[in-house]
Amino acid sequence: IQKLCDRVASSTLLDDRRDAVRALKSLSKKYRLEVGIQAMEHLIHVLQTDRSDSEIIGYALDTLYNVISNDLEEEEQEENSAKHVDDLGSQFTEIFIKQQENVTLLLTLVEEFDFHVRWPGVKLLTSLLKQQGPQVQQIILVSPMGVSRLMDLLADSREVIRNDGVLLLQQLTKSNAAIQKIVAFENAFERLLDIITEEGNSDGGIVVEDCLLLLQNLLKNNNSNQNFFKEGSYIQRMKPWFEVGDDNCGWSAQKVTNLHLMLQLVRVLVSPTNPPGATSSCQKAMFHCGLLQQLCTILMATGVPADILTETINTVSEVIRGCQTNQDYFASVNAPSNPPRPAIVVLLMSMVNERQPFVLRCAVLYCFQCFLYKNQKGQGEIVSTLLPSTIDATGNSVSAGQLLCGGLFSTDSLSNWCAAVALAHALQENGTLKEQLLRVQLATSIGNPPVSLLQQCTNILSQGSKVQTRVGLLMLLCTWLSNCSIAVTHFLHNPANVPFLTGQIAENLGEEEQLVQGLCALLLGISIYYNDNSLENYRKEKLKQLIEKRIGRENFIEKLGFISKHELYSRAAQKPQPSFSSPDHMMFDHEFTKLVKELEGVISKAIYKSSEEDKKEEEVKKTLEQHDNIVTHYKKVIREQDQELEELKQRISTLTSQNEQLQATVTQQVSQIQQHKDQYNLLKVQLGKDSQHHNSHGDTLQMNGIQTEEVSKLKEELEEWKNKHELLQGQLKEKDSVIEKLNSSQLEMGATEQSLQSSRFGGLEHSNELQKELEMLRSQIQLQAAEISKLQMENQKLQVMNTAADPMLGDSGATAGTSSELEARLEQEIKELKSQIKALSEEKESLKQQLDSSTSTVAILQDKNSRLEREVAESKKEQDDLLVLLADQDQKISAQKMKLKDFGVAVEDEDDTESGDQGDEDEDGDEEEQD
């Protein structure tokens, strides 16, 4: 080994160094210690200097792996030397990682794609993490992109490297939340779930097992990763894992292991130790994606191995725990039997069957507890199966209540304990059911009268049964009587109960009986603390005197403390799931430990309280209850007033907005009316111009029409124009009557002047009609302006009314703040509250009246506004008709001018006429404006 190390250190040829490292590799398995001591430094130097040759790098990594890893040695060494082997690997790892650059160098080598470098590098890094996990994790964490480079291993196409990469990440993520988060956000969930799917889900090999173990490392006790897993919709991808076929005969050992890990992964997401919000969201996601339904299918399937069935029951338990939707679904699940039975009944049959495995019975109890946890509806359904009105008289079907009673009074102590705890969970924090359960009657034997369930439990206690049975019954009685005075009265009504309890507490018994004594002390303390003094012989003070005489207060408190000091009590208090190494250790329930913590202190105080203190406390309680009732009543009244005031404020705000809209509409109408006025003025001016043109044309024609030469020419050309005139007649039929008369008058030779004069008079008649229509339009517009001014005045009045209503609302809202001073000075302020409420109601009535009046005003405004809109629309229509008429008139006049020019009549243009007659037009315009 020394010679080989010298060759590695001193040889200049790469081949010589490579051969020397190969030889060291072959010796490293048998002579691990010698190679490790002498060659480690040289091998690290090779990794640093000979990176260009992948073969020598691979040999060096393999040699280091053989030196550091304990895997090979553990197979060959005996058990007595295993500790020495662990120390050897740990020491060599410590030497290697002493220089952090070595780990960084190894991370760089793992990046190489060459199989002979990457694979041994992955194995070596995995071995380092096994030996000195926290130290290597810290080095990788501070190394730039250290974790990200290792995540690339999952994407390697070579399965060997990918699978060993999963093992490497398992070691890397152990107990390190920071690395777990980095790995998760490097898309580890997606890649691992893809690998599981590729390998065949639960039917896959050991690769699936390794991936599941890595997923557990990433999710367990890591709330951030759990939330990321849920938000990434990865819970939905877990459903195919549990789609096992009906032919469940082929359950290989690997499949059982895989499915077991899959169930544990589901439990990690819904564990009771997780934050309640995270657990609840995961439970809902599992229901919506069908995962819970799939688990229930496995639960009711046949041929499922016992350990898988047990773990499935535990998984279903935590998926439904405290989630009402999931609990309701579980209550509806039926077993595939004939006739179908509810899954709860089938599970309870297994729990009270002493031939079933112990772990399975514990799992069923846990499932029943989770089903009832914060589920008052489920509790009521279970208790209702015990009540006389709901018991099936035919006996065809077995109910949950009958199974629990059967288990409670069977000869198997484990069944007694399980049934008692299950029944106690049905009563947990539910006073109504505790009272209803007092009605349950049991037929003990033929010919004897029925006995109440409470009495039967105390009878079995007094018969001296097994410790486990008595502990279970005492836990049931303590849960039943706590916070239920009626149940305490029923219990004390039996004259044998109190002497039995005092006798049990007073005796000096062995260690096994000390637990029973402590529970008897707790039950007697509950009977004192929740006693309403309705029984004269068992009033609080008399029971305290009895304890003082028979037991002694100090002795009683000491016996009460036996419960919380017991080892099994501490175990049960750790987590909700009942997990016991053997049936003999099955003594305490998790929820009962919470009850003991709550009651132990208050019972100790109640024992030492005097009767006067009890009376004062009861009086204070009654006074506080009365005060609370009064305060609650007035709070409710004030809350209702506040709601009504808010509604009124909302209505006023809506009315205000409507008022603003109406104001905007009115403003718009005013602007439209102004536009109509402007258009009217333009039309008036234009009509004046048209009338002057007609007059000038008529005069010109009168001057020129008498000439004989033009008349003779007109006669000669008349025949030619007759044909053209007939063609034009079809197009001029839709024109005005004045133009038609002009066309007909041209048929005669001597009537030219008369036809022109008639056309002039016709145009004047039309202009007079238009002026009349415009005068009517002007009067309508003035009426509309007057109505709009009225609307504006009414809107201003409405705004004044609204502003006056706002301070009144502010004053009424201020009265709501007086509720905070009720508790301090209740007696003095009750009258003030009544007067304030009266004032509030009066203000409310006044506000309602104001709202009614404002509502009617708004309706009137809306009606007037609609009428305005109609009138404006009509005026618009009339103006449009007028404009069309004027346009037609202009066209007709221009056509006549053209024809007259064709006939040879001299016609002046409009521009010339305007320049010549400007003064006349101004005078006519002034006269029209005065009209």
Side-chain angles (χ1 to χ4, degrees):
I1 292 172
Q2 183 61 47
K3 288 181 180 179
L4 292 171
C5 291
D6 292 340
R7 285 178 61 190
V8 172
S10 60
S11 295
T12 56
L13 292 176
L14 179 60
D15 293 340
D16 292 343
R17 293 199 303 275
R18 187 191 301 124
D19 294 339
V21 175
R22 187 192 295 116
L24 286 172
K25 174 190 170 185
S26 61
L27 293 171
S28 60
K29 294 181 180 179
K30 191 173 183 180
Y31 303 102
R32 177 185 177 191
L33 178 61
E34 292 80 3
V35 172
I37 292 173
Q38 298 180 45
M40 181 172 286
E41 185 179 351
H42 301 296
L43 294 171
I44 293 172
H45 184 70
V46 167
L47 295 179
Q48 294 171 345
T49 57
D50 291 328
R51 290 184 57 183
S52 59
D53 185 66
S54 59
E55 194 172 356
I56 192 172
I57 294 291
Y59 292 147
L61 291 171
D62 282 331
T63 308
L64 288 171
Y65 172 73
N66 292 339
V67 169
I68 290 172
S69 174
N70 291 326
D71 298 341
L72 299 173
E73 292 291 337
E74 285 175 356
E75 298 174 1
E76 299 172 1
Q77 297 289 335
E78 297 179 356
E79 294 180 359
N80 56 6
S81 62
K83 187 177 180 182
H84 172 69
V85 170
D86 289 341
D87 290 342
L88 195 59
S90 179
Q91 289 171 6
F92 282 133
T93 302
E94 194 170 347
I95 295 170
F96 184 84
I97 66 173
K98 200 168 186 180
Q99 299 292 329
Q100 294 189 8
E101 295 81 4
N102 295 339
V103 180
T104 307
L105 175 63
L106 190 54
L107 289 172
T108 308
L109 292 173
V110 167
E111 276 190 294
E112 295 289 338
F113 187 73
D114 195 319
F115 181 81
H116 297 289
V117 177
R118 197 172 206 183
W119 187 40
V122 170
K123 292 195 296 180
L124 177 57
L125 194 53
T126 306
S127 184
L128 292 173
L129 285 163
K130 285 182 180 178
Q131 303 297 336
Q132 297 285 343
Q135 292 87 336
V136 180
Q137 284 175 341
Q138 196 60 32
I139 296 171
I140 294 174
L141 194 57
V142 299
S143 175
M145 299 294 291
V147 178
S148 301
R149 285 188 278 187
L150 297 179
M151 283 299 300
D152 294 337
L153 297 172
L154 295 181
D156 201 304
S157 58
R158 295 159 294 192
E159 289 191 5
V160 177
I161 294 179
R162 184 199 68 185
N163 299 343
D164 282 350
V166 173
L167 296 175
L168 169 60
L169 291 172
Q170 273 184 33
Q171 299 298 326
L172 181 65
T173 54
K174 273 186 179 178
S175 306
N176 193 309
I179 293 179
Q180 289 168 3
K181 289 179 184 178
I182 296 172
V183 171
F185 282 96
E186 287 284 347
N187 208 22
F189 293 138
E190 184 79 30
R191 296 183 185 182
L192 291 172
L193 292 172
D194 288 341
I195 293 172
I196 292 172
T197 304
E198 291 170 7
E199 295 291 328
N201 293 329
S202 59
D203 293 321
I206 197 169
V207 178
V208 173
E209 178 183 347
D210 293 336
C211 291
L212 292 169
L213 288 171
L214 177 53
L215 284 172
Q216 278 194 22
N217 283 356
L218 295 174
L219 293 172
K220 198 167 187 178
N221 300 324
N222 194 318
N223 299 329
S224 173
N225 282 2
Q226 289 174 7
N227 186 54
F228 181 64
F229 191 83
K230 178 186 71 70
E231 295 296 334
S233 301
Y234 295 118
I235 290 178
Q236 288 82 332
R237 296 188 61 179
M238 298 170 73
K239 183 190 173 186
W241 295 355
F242 305 102
E243 292 176 354
V244 293
D246 295 333
D247 51 343
N248 293 327
C249 53
W251 288 84
S252 63
Q254 186 61 56
K255 182 174 182 178
V256 170
T257 303
N258 290 345
L259 205 54
H260 202 274
L261 289 171
M262 289 170 177
L263 292 168
Q264 286 181 351
L265 195 61
V266 175
R267 292 185 65 186
V268 164
L269 295 171
V270 293
S271 172
T273 58
N274 293 344
T279 299
S280 176
S281 58
C282 288
Q283 288 172 332
K284 291 175 182 176
M286 289 176 183
F287 174 76
H288 290 303
C289 76
L291 181 58
L292 174 60
Q293 294 85 328
Q294 202 64 46
L295 292 173
C296 290
T297 303
I298 297 177
L299 197 66
M300 295 290 105
T302 56
V304 180
D307 53 346
I308 291 296
L309 182 60
T310 303
E311 190 64 22
T312 304
I313 295 173
N314 287 328
T315 305
V316 171
S317 306
E318 294 182 352
V319 173
I320 67 173
R321 187 177 189 269
C323 182
Q324 188 66 52
T325 306
N326 295 4
Q327 289 167 337
D328 292 343
Y329 170 76
F330 184 70
S332 67
V333 175
N334 287 324
S337 58
N338 193 13
R341 287 177 175 170
I344 297 172
V345 174
V346 175
L347 292 174
L348 288 177
M349 291 173 71
S350 301
M351 186 184 76
V352 298
N353 186 354
E354 55 186 305
R355 289 176 293 181
Q356 293 291 345
F358 172 65
V359 290
L360 179 63
R361 298 174 74 180
C362 289
V364 172
L365 175 62
Y366 184 45
C367 186
F368 192 72
Q369 291 174 350
C370 292
F371 170 67
L372 297 178
Y373 183 69
K374 294 183 179 179
N375 183 11
Q376 292 193 353
K377 179 183 176 184
Q379 289 176 325
E381 291 172 353
I382 297 298
V383 172
S384 67
T385 59
L386 285 164
L387 300 178
S389 59
T390 57
I391 293 178
D392 188 4
T394 60
N396 292 333
S397 61
V398 181
S399 66
Q402 291 170 327
L403 288 170
L404 289 177
C405 282
L408 198 60
F409 307 123
S410 72
T411 55
D412 178 31
S413 62
L414 188 60
S415 297
N416 302 152
W417 191 91
C418 291
V421 170
L423 200 53
H425 275 261
L427 303 175
Q428 201 81 37
E429 299 178 359
N430 199 323
T432 306
L433 296 182
K434 291 177 182 179
E435 296 176 10
Q436 289 186 2
L437 202 63
L438 296 171
R439 298 164 43 204
V440 176
Q441 301 287 323
L442 301 173
T444 53
S445 58
I446 301 174
N448 293 332
V451 180
S452 69
L453 177 61
L454 185 66
Q455 183 61 45
Q456 184 65 16
C457 291
T458 56
N459 291 343
I460 295 174
L461 272 178
S462 59
Q463 292 172 5
S465 53
K466 292 182 181 179
V467 173
Q468 192 175 40
T469 301
R470 283 182 287 163
V471 168
L473 290 171
L474 285 168
M475 286 196 297
L476 171 60
L477 290 173
C478 289
T479 306
W480 195 346
L481 269 58
S482 66
N483 208 14
C484 185
S485 301
I486 299 175
V488 171
T489 304
H490 278 72
F491 179 76
L492 296 175
H493 193 71
N494 187 352
N497 288 341
V498 174
F500 167 73
L501 292 178
T502 54
Q504 287 285 318
I505 299 167
E507 290 182 13
N508 291 321
L509 303 173
E511 291 184 3
E512 291 183 356
E513 295 293 330
Q514 283 183 352
L515 189 54
V516 177
Q517 286 183 316
L519 291 169
C520 288
L522 180 64
L523 184 58
L524 186 57
I526 290 172
S527 302
I528 295 172
Y529 186 71
Y530 293 106
N531 193 342
D532 59 358
N533 295 327
S534 58
L535 294 176
E536 185 62 31
N537 295 332
Y538 296 105
R539 297 174 66 86
K540 285 185 178 182
E541 191 59 34
K542 289 188 177 182
L543 289 174
K544 290 178 187 177
Q545 293 173 2
L546 186 64
I547 290 174
E548 181 66 28
K549 291 177 182 178
R550 299 275 182 90
I551 306 167
R553 292 179 180 177
E554 290 77 9
N555 192 23
F556 179 85
I557 299 299
E558 183 185 357
K559 297 291 176 70
L560 183 62
F562 284 164
I563 303 174
S564 56
K565 293 176 183 176
H566 202 280
E567 179 187 0
L568 297 177
Y569 174 90
S570 302
R571 290 184 188 175
Q574 291 174 359
K575 58 180 180 178
Q577 183 183 0
S579 56
F580 306 99
S581 55
S582 67
D584 297 334
H585 292 160
M586 206 171 192
M587 288 293 175
F588 283 109
D589 172 56
H590 177 76
E591 291 296 326
F592 181 73
T593 60
K594 295 181 182 178
L595 183 67
V596 172
K597 287 180 184 177
E598 179 186 344
L599 294 178
E600 189 175 6
V602 295
I603 289 174
S604 300
K605 291 179 182 178
I607 295 298
Y608 285 101
K609 279 183 181 178
S610 62
S611 58
E612 294 180 357
E613 291 176 345
D614 286 340
K615 288 181 181 178
K616 288 181 181 179
E617 188 176 345
E618 288 179 2
E619 289 176 359
V620 170
K621 282 183 179 179
K622 289 181 180 178
T623 306
L624 288 174
E625 287 178 0
Q626 291 175 356
H627 288 182
D628 290 342
N629 291 334
I630 294 171
V631 170
T632 304
H633 171 69
Y634 282 109
K635 280 183 177 179
K636 183 179 178 182
V637 172
I638 290 171
R639 193 179 298 113
E640 291 175 355
Q641 294 286 343
D642 287 341
Q643 290 177 355
E644 291 180 0
L645 287 174
E646 286 296 327
E647 291 176 359
L648 291 174
K649 285 181 181 179
Q650 290 177 359
R651 290 182 63 185
I652 286 175
S653 64
T654 54
L655 288 173
T656 304
S657 63
Q658 289 178 0
N659 192 13
E660 291 175 354
Q661 291 177 358
L662 287 173
Q663 285 181 349
T665 306
V666 168
T667 305
Q668 185 178 3
Q669 295 287 347
V670 170
S671 64
Q672 288 180 354
I673 289 171
Q674 186 62 39
Q675 290 177 0
H676 294 162
K677 285 182 178 179
D678 296 339
Q679 291 177 1
Y680 170 74
N681 293 329
L682 291 172
L683 290 172
K684 188 169 63 175
V685 172
Q686 189 172 2
L687 279 173
K689 291 180 179 180
D690 291 340
S691 63
Q692 291 175 359
H693 288 312
H694 283 294
N695 292 331
S696 62
H697 292 167
D699 293 339
T700 306
L701 290 174
Q702 284 177 355
M703 291 171 62
N704 300 326
I706 305 172
Q707 296 177 4
T708 57
E709 294 177 357
E710 292 179 356
V711 170
S712 61
K713 290 179 180 179
L714 287 173
K715 285 180 180 180
E716 293 174 356
E717 294 175 356
L718 182 61
E719 293 299 327
E720 297 177 0
W721 285 103
K722 278 184 181 179
N723 296 327
K724 295 181 180 180
H725 179 68
E726 288 175 358
L727 294 174
L728 292 172
Q729 265 187 339
Q731 298 175 358
L732 295 173
K733 283 181 181 180
E734 296 177 359
K735 305 294 181 178
D736 206 2
S737 60
V738 177
I739 299 171
E740 292 177 358
K741 289 179 182 179
L742 180 62
N743 290 331
S744 61
S745 64
Q746 289 178 352
L747 296 173
E748 297 177 1
M749 287 291 296
T752 304
E753 182 179 352
Q754 185 178 357
S755 65
L756 291 172
Q757 290 178 352
S758 66
S759 65
R760 181 188 63 187
F761 291 134
L764 291 173
E765 288 175 0
H766 279 291
S767 64
N768 291 331
E769 291 177 0
L770 287 174
Q771 287 179 352
K772 290 178 182 180
E773 288 176 357
L774 286 173
E775 289 295 326
M776 292 175 64
L777 181 62
R778 179 187 292 175
S779 63
Q780 289 178 359
I781 288 171
Q782 290 176 353
L783 290 175
Q784 289 176 357
E787 288 177 354
I788 286 169
S789 63
K790 288 181 183 179
L791 285 175
Q792 288 176 345
M793 293 296 293
E794 288 175 357
N795 281 330
Q796 290 176 356
K797 291 180 182 180
L798 183 60
Q799 286 179 348
V800 173
M801 293 169 63
N802 287 337
T803 54
D806 288 335
M808 296 173 65
L809 286 175
D811 294 337
S812 64
T815 59
T818 59
S819 61
S820 63
E821 301 175 1
L822 283 173
E823 296 177 357
R825 296 182 298 173
L826 184 66
E827 297 297 335
Q828 292 83 358
E829 295 184 2
I830 289 174
K831 293 181 180 180
E832 295 178 6
L833 280 172
K834 290 182 179 177
S835 61
Q836 289 170 359
I837 290 170
K838 187 176 179 181
L840 282 172
S841 62
E842 291 175 357
E843 289 178 1
K844 185 181 72 174
E845 291 298 327
S846 65
L847 284 173
K848 284 184 179 178
Q849 292 175 2
Q850 292 175 7
L851 280 172
D852 294 337
S853 63
S854 62
T855 306
S856 62
T857 305
V858 169
I860 293 169
L861 288 174
Q862 289 177 343
D863 187 20
K864 290 183 178 180
N865 187 26
S866 61
R867 280 188 290 169
L868 276 176
E869 288 178 349
R870 287 197 300 272
E871 291 174 359
V872 169
E874 290 175 359
S875 64
K876 277 186 178 181
K877 185 177 179 182
E878 291 175 357
Q879 289 178 2
D880 292 339
D881 295 340
L882 188 58
L883 289 172
V884 171
L885 187 60
L886 288 172
D888 291 342
Q889 190 76 18
D890 287 338
Q891 289 178 359
K892 291 175 183 178
I893 290 170
S894 61
Q896 289 294 329
K897 286 180 180 179
M898 292 298 295
K899 288 181 180 179
L900 288 171
K901 287 180 180 180
D902 294 339
F903 287 133
V905 179
V907 180
E908 293 184 359
D909 291 336
E910 187 176 352
D911 295 336
D912 298 338
T913 309
E914 285 181 358
S915 62
D917 300 334
Q918 186 67 39
D920 296 337
E921 289 177 3
D922 293 340
E923 291 175 1
D924 294 340
D926 295 336
E927 291 175 359
E928 288 174 357
E929 286 179 357
Q930 289 174 1
D931 295 336

